[in-house]
Amino acid sequence: MTGRRRIGCAVAIVAWSLLVGSEAGAARRAAAGTITEVPVGVRSHSYLFGLTTGPDGAVWFADLSCTGLGRCAIARLDRSGRVTEYRRGLDAGSVPYTIAAGPDGNLWFTDEGSRPAIGRITPHGHITEFRRGLARGSEPFRITTGPGGDLWFTDQGKRPAIGRITPHGDITEFRRGLPRGSTPFGITATPGELWFTDHGCNGSGRCAVGRIGANGRISELRHGLRAGSQPLGIATGRGGDAWFADSSGAIGHVTSAGRITERTRGLAAGSSPVAIAAGPAGSMWFTDEGVKPAVGRVTPGGSAREFSRGLLASSQPADITLGPDGRMWFSDEGATTALGTVTTGATCTGSCRSVQVHARVTLG
């Protein structure tokens, strides 16, 4: 995941199918770790990254099929299997990267295009982008809902920062407390504060896990990180603790008091976890782009297991989120762009019905 690729434009029109729901009760019987992937592009130019479950019960994702050339989109996969792409409201050259459900019933996304912005899209597809308050050379990356109803994001640009945007679009960025060479990456909210990962070790040797209060005060923690640690994605788990993916081959845990521990047991040799999300029953699920690509699960007690069967050849599982059907959904930025699901073994809640998707999807 580095999530940083810039690739050319191609239009991919493909027929595809994916079980969005489940055969009557099948989700209740499915063992954890059953992976299904469906290609959504026939060329390496097609590219998906961030995804989330919206307040409407649909899976929303960023479509970067034409990165930097003005034909990227925000896309929605509904429970009936229909894919709708939205572009009106995006600037030419827009590059949406990650997306999150906001506290206001809308979806919010980061845009690293020629005119960087934080964007808002309603469940009906109306897009508005906000820029005032971003520094020149900004590169907004991850975004999450924070305490108090605002959204917070990481900015990896020329002046790295942790940013806050209100539901009305007012942006403030905070930098004091970030070291030279900082590269804020993932971000998540716990009940009392926000946690983020700093991948700046590539330039400074000072990778860290940081926290920021509602007042914008930033502090970074390194004690407990393994030598060579490279923290990337981070998410909030049961009890309000944070968990992070360490691409050097570990899963990390941060308590509310700031105690960091990292675990490697259960990960394959050459593993490279990149994104992580909370799943049912207190478990965390993560993607692994390592030597043997996988989607993994770590229990509240720290026991990890990885699953690879069902992944496409040359797969690179990227972002991951809990879907509306009790499964984890993930994007695949490998040789064949795909959307995937993995069963969690949890009881499905709400309507679990069999829906076979047969859609004509235009990416780009």
Side-chain angles (χ1 to χ4, degrees), residues 1-4 49 98 140-143 153-156 161-162 182-188 195-200 208 230-234 245 274-275:
M1 155 192 166
T2 57
R4 322 300 303 162
F49 184 63
T98 63
F141 186 52
R142 277 287 184 182
I143 188 166
F153 59 93
T154 53
D155 185 340
Q156 302 179 351
I162 304 298
S182 176
T183 306
F185 198 93
I187 189 166
T188 191
W195 293 87
F196 66 94
T197 54
D198 187 341
H199 196 57
Q230 299 181 37
L232 293 178
I234 189 167
V274 291

Side-chain angles (χ1 to χ4, degrees), residues 298-364:
V298 58
T299 67
S303 176
R305 182 181 178 185
E306 296 197 300
F307 308 94
S308 295
R309 186 175 180 179
L311 290 177
L312 299 171
S314 302
S315 173
Q316 288 188 344
D319 205 7
I320 189 166
T321 193
L322 176 61
D325 53 3
R327 295 182 293 183
M328 304 302 293
W329 286 66
F330 62 94
S331 56
D332 189 333
E333 59 181 7
T336 302
T337 297
L339 283 174
T341 63
V342 57
T343 56
T344 61
T347 300
C348 184
T349 58
S351 175
C352 283
R353 55 193 178 87
S354 179
V355 181
Q356 189 78 20
V357 180
H358 294 287
R360 298 292 294 181
V361 183
T362 303
L363 298 183

Side-chain angles (χ1 to χ4, degrees), residues 59-352:
V59 176
W60 291 75
F61 57 94
D63 170 9
L64 291 81
S65 296
C66 294
T67 304
L69 299 180
R71 294 293 294 169
C72 292
I74 300 296
R76 177 180 182 270
L77 171 64
D78 66 23
R79 295 294 294 271
S80 70
R82 182 178 63 180
V83 175
T84 306
E85 294 209 318
Y86 303 97
R87 295 185 179 90
R88 180 175 293 181
L90 291 177
D91 282 338
S94 177
V95 182
Y97 250 94
T98 63
I99 186 167
D104 56 352
N106 297 312
L107 288 300
W108 291 76
F109 60 93
T110 55
D111 183 345
E112 290 192 358
S114 55
R115 296 185 63 205
I118 302 298
R120 179 184 66 205
I121 181 169
T122 70
H124 299 293
H126 180 74
I127 296 173
T128 307
E129 294 203 278
F130 305 94
R131 295 178 180 85
R132 187 173 181 179
L134 290 178
R136 184 182 296 273
S138 174
E139 291 185 11
F141 186 52
R142 277 287 184 182
I143 188 166
T144 191
T145 296
D150 293 335
L151 292 107
W152 292 74
F153 59 93
T154 53
D155 185 340
Q156 302 179 351
K158 293 180 180 178
R159 298 182 62 202
I162 304 298
R164 180 182 65 203
I165 182 169
T166 71
H168 300 293
D170 298 319
I171 297 173
T172 306
E173 293 201 301
F174 304 94
R175 296 178 178 85
R176 187 173 182 179
L178 290 177
R180 183 183 297 273
S182 176
T183 306
F185 198 93
I187 189 166
T188 191
T190 60
E193 54 196 341
L194 293 109
W195 293 87
F196 66 94
T197 54
D198 187 341
H199 196 57
C201 42
N202 285 342
S204 68
R206 292 174 60 80
C207 270
V209 175
R211 57 184 169 192
I212 179 169
N215 60 357
R217 183 176 180 180
I218 297 171
S219 59
E220 292 199 332
L221 308 172
R222 295 175 180 85
H223 183 72
L225 291 177
R226 304 186 318 146
S229 176
Q230 299 181 37
L232 293 178
I234 189 167
T236 303
R238 172 182 285 180
D241 289 351
W243 293 76
F244 62 92
D246 179 345
S247 64
S248 73
I251 298 297
H253 176 233
V254 190
T255 68
S256 58
R259 182 173 179 266
I260 299 174
T261 55
E262 293 204 79
R263 299 167 169 85
T264 60
R265 187 174 181 179
L267 300 181
S271 70
S272 183
V274 291
I276 192 166
S283 291
M284 306 296 292
W285 289 78
F286 60 93
T287 54
D288 186 340
E289 289 187 354
V291 174
K292 185 178 182 181
V295 177
R297 177 189 64 194
V298 58
T299 67
S303 176
R305 182 181 178 185
E306 296 197 300
F307 308 94
S308 295
R309 186 175 180 179
L311 290 177
L312 299 171
S314 302
S315 173
Q316 288 188 344
D319 205 7
I320 189 166
T321 193
L322 176 61
D325 53 3
R327 295 182 293 183
M328 304 302 293
W329 286 66
F330 62 94
S331 56
D332 189 333
E333 59 181 7
T336 302
T337 297
L339 283 174
T341 63
V342 57
T343 56
T344 61
T347 300
C348 184
T349 58
S351 175
C352 283

